[in-house]
Amino acid sequence: MHFNNAGAGLLPQPVLEGVVEHLKLEAAIGGYEAAEGQAAEIEHCYTALAALLNCRTDEIAVVENATRAWDAAFYAMDFAPGDRILTAGAEYASNYIAYLQVAKRTGAVIDVVPDDRDGQLDVDALRGMIDERVKLISITHVPTNGGLVNPAAEIGVVAREAGVPFLLDACQSVGQMPIDVEAIGCDMLSATGRKYLRGPRGTGFLYVRASMLDRLEPPMLDLRAATWTGRNKYRMRPDARRFENWESNVAGKIGLGIAADYARNWGLEAIEERVSGLAALLRRELGKIGGVTIRDLGRRRCGIVTFTVDGRDAQHIRQRLAERAINVSISGRGSTLLDMDRRRLNEVARASVHYYNTEEEVGRFCESLESIVGS
Ligand SMILES: Cc1ncc(COP(=O)(O)O)c(C=O)c1O
């Protein structure tokens, strides 16, 4: 029973076949030759992701994971002493560590926007924090440690009103709900292949709005990102692929394109309805078990369900469930430190459902947990 889709979703058959077929071709005729023959399939990855996010093909870069995608955008920005980065309470560790490093190097300041009573980012508070020193609004859409969905489109309205670039970490949301960069109004967005999108591991992607490109100098350049035009000169690529580098997981790229098509064929609205419905059922049923506390915040909630059990640590719960062939994961304090400290949590167990999970599985999950809690 796979309830760890926020860790990695299960590959659908067409994705698996696309990856395996390309690896077989590489083994048979050579990696470069295979890529040449499959150029259209590789290029399709960009078209499929652009369709998924409602952007242009030349606004997409494909990289090895969400972290590198996010880093490529964030580290491309220029910060000066006193510049403010506005972020959210449930920010992901890797992003916050990058803020800290850049703050140390440049004198930029990190300001955390308070949450509202429901635990989502308080959009009015964000609006009140805007001034001429705000250089970036950088928010995690769905945090790693819970079902909360931050109000990305409302944040986008504030960013547009203020003329401040908006970077959205959509790692946990892409594939489980519609993500439309025009409706959201973000300028940069990072995501991964392997989670709710059900793509291959080792794939990630970055969206950069065309009008932002010239304001961003990638932190690292190579001969894919730029052309060496003379002894003392280079020219950056005009499109978002300036954030890529030359060698890549070609089979993964093909699989990622297939995964994006696959999700769109089901329909992202339908996926969200199914996933959030199953998760709501899971929360309701878990809530009936004595000693179990649901830890998800927010008004709009997604497929990630987090909980704690009185007197049992999350590792114990994960292991006992694993013995019954049920996959869940743990989110520890260090992944979302500000939020966890504020709520005095050291860790939470995380059960994340996808559309292929069933109501019957939710029932069996709760029965198993009840017997673990009672034993
Ligand atoms: C909110 C968030 N952002 C970024 C990442 C990093 O994604 P990746 O492992 O693909 O780099 C994660 C991973 O769990 C995440 O939860």
Side-chain angles (χ1 to χ4, degrees):
M1 198 190 291
H2 190 60
F3 277 30
N4 188 16
N5 294 287
L10 305 179
L11 298 193
Q13 200 61 26
V15 174
L16 179 63
E17 280 165 16
V19 172
V20 170
E21 285 312 311
H22 190 76
L23 289 175
K24 282 185 183 161
L25 194 63
E26 287 186 345
I29 67 167
Y32 288 30
E33 293 72 13
E36 227 175 285
Q38 300 298 298
E41 283 73 10
I42 299 166
E43 194 54 33
H44 181 71
C45 179
Y46 297 88
T47 318
L49 291 172
L52 183 75
L53 300 180
N54 187 27
C55 67
R56 284 168 25 187
T57 304
D58 61 359
E59 294 175 316
I60 296 285
V62 180
V63 293
E64 54 267 50
N65 54 50
T67 305
R68 281 294 166 262
W70 187 94
D71 285 343
F74 176 68
Y75 284 97
M77 295 204 57
D78 214 7
F79 293 98
D83 283 348
R84 297 169 72 204
I85 300 166
L86 300 188
T87 189
E91 195 62 5
Y92 187 58
S94 299
N95 304 354
Y96 209 91
I97 291 167
Y99 303 145
L100 290 171
Q101 187 191 37
V102 162
K104 189 173 71 181
R105 281 184 185 162
T106 66
V109 180
I110 312 160
D111 283 326
V112 179
V113 182
D115 291 333
D116 67 14
R117 270 190 322 219
D118 295 311
Q120 62 179 33
L121 180 133
D122 185 331
V123 179
D124 289 333
L126 168 68
R127 193 173 272 110
M129 290 169 78
I130 298 288
D131 64 20
E132 67 290 344
R133 292 185 303 133
V134 175
K135 197 68 186 289
L136 177 69
I137 297 173
S138 177
I139 308 286
T140 297
H141 195 195
V142 167
T144 205
N145 69 333
L148 162 76
V149 184
N150 264 320
E154 290 161 68
I155 296 167
V157 170
V158 178
R160 280 187 174 172
E161 280 168 7
V164 173
F166 175 20
L167 168 58
L168 185 69
D169 176 344
C171 185
Q172 304 286 68
S173 51
V174 160
Q176 67 160 320
M177 62 187 69
I179 301 286
D180 177 328
V181 293
E182 286 309 319
I184 291 174
C186 57
D187 301 291
M188 299 159 282
L189 176 148
S190 56
T192 205
R194 75 179 181 284
K195 297 186 183 227
Y196 275 96
L197 203 50
R198 306 182 65 192
R201 293 199 68 177
T203 61
F205 51 98
L206 173 67
Y207 154 77
V208 180
R209 190 175 290 281
S211 57
M212 268 303 284
L213 270 171
D214 287 338
R215 297 164 64 185
L216 299 174
E217 169 111 19
M220 287 177 283
L221 290 174
D222 76 342
L223 79 182
R224 177 164 174 88
T227 306
W228 194 9
T229 51
R231 191 177 181 89
N232 297 313
K233 290 190 292 192
Y234 66 87
R235 192 180 55 245
M236 270 191 292
R237 277 188 73 115
D239 58 14
R241 293 183 212 186
R242 67 173 57 170
F243 294 101
E244 298 184 354
N245 58 77
W246 196 82
E247 174 56 359
S248 70
N249 175 0
V250 176
K253 236 178 191 175
I254 291 173
L256 181 61
I258 298 171
D261 285 342
Y262 194 83
R264 284 207 319 126
N265 285 342
W266 282 110
L268 274 303
E269 279 91 5
I271 291 175
E272 179 173 20
E273 201 182 316
R274 167 81 181 157
V275 170
S276 60
L278 275 178
L281 175 67
L282 179 57
R283 283 187 203 102
R284 270 199 309 279
E285 294 304 312
L286 283 176
K288 295 178 186 164
I289 305 173
V292 173
T293 308
I294 303 296
R295 297 295 181 176
D296 298 320
L297 302 174
R299 275 198 285 288
R300 178 179 170 199
R301 293 180 183 176
C302 66
I304 301 177
V305 178
T306 50
F307 59 94
T308 53
V309 179
D310 291 348
R312 306 288 173 99
D313 63 34
Q315 187 57 26
H316 171 85
I317 299 296
R318 197 190 70 81
Q319 255 160 16
R320 294 287 91 77
L321 287 169
E323 284 159 14
R324 293 165 161 82
I326 299 174
N327 303 339
V328 296
S329 65
I330 297 171
S331 195
R333 170 178 178 255
S335 294
T336 42
L337 186 131
L338 299 184
D339 177 51
M340 296 292 270
D341 280 1
R342 190 178 46 188
R343 296 198 275 153
R344 296 195 173 82
L345 291 170
N346 191 44
E347 55 178 17
V348 289
R350 188 180 74 178
S352 44
V353 291
H354 215 319
Y355 52 72
Y356 41 69
N357 293 123
T358 64
E359 287 80 358
E360 188 264 335
E361 284 184 320
V362 168
R364 276 198 287 136
F365 182 90
C366 293
E367 278 164 27
S368 297
L369 189 69
E370 198 162 13
S371 77
I372 291 166
V373 172
S375 64

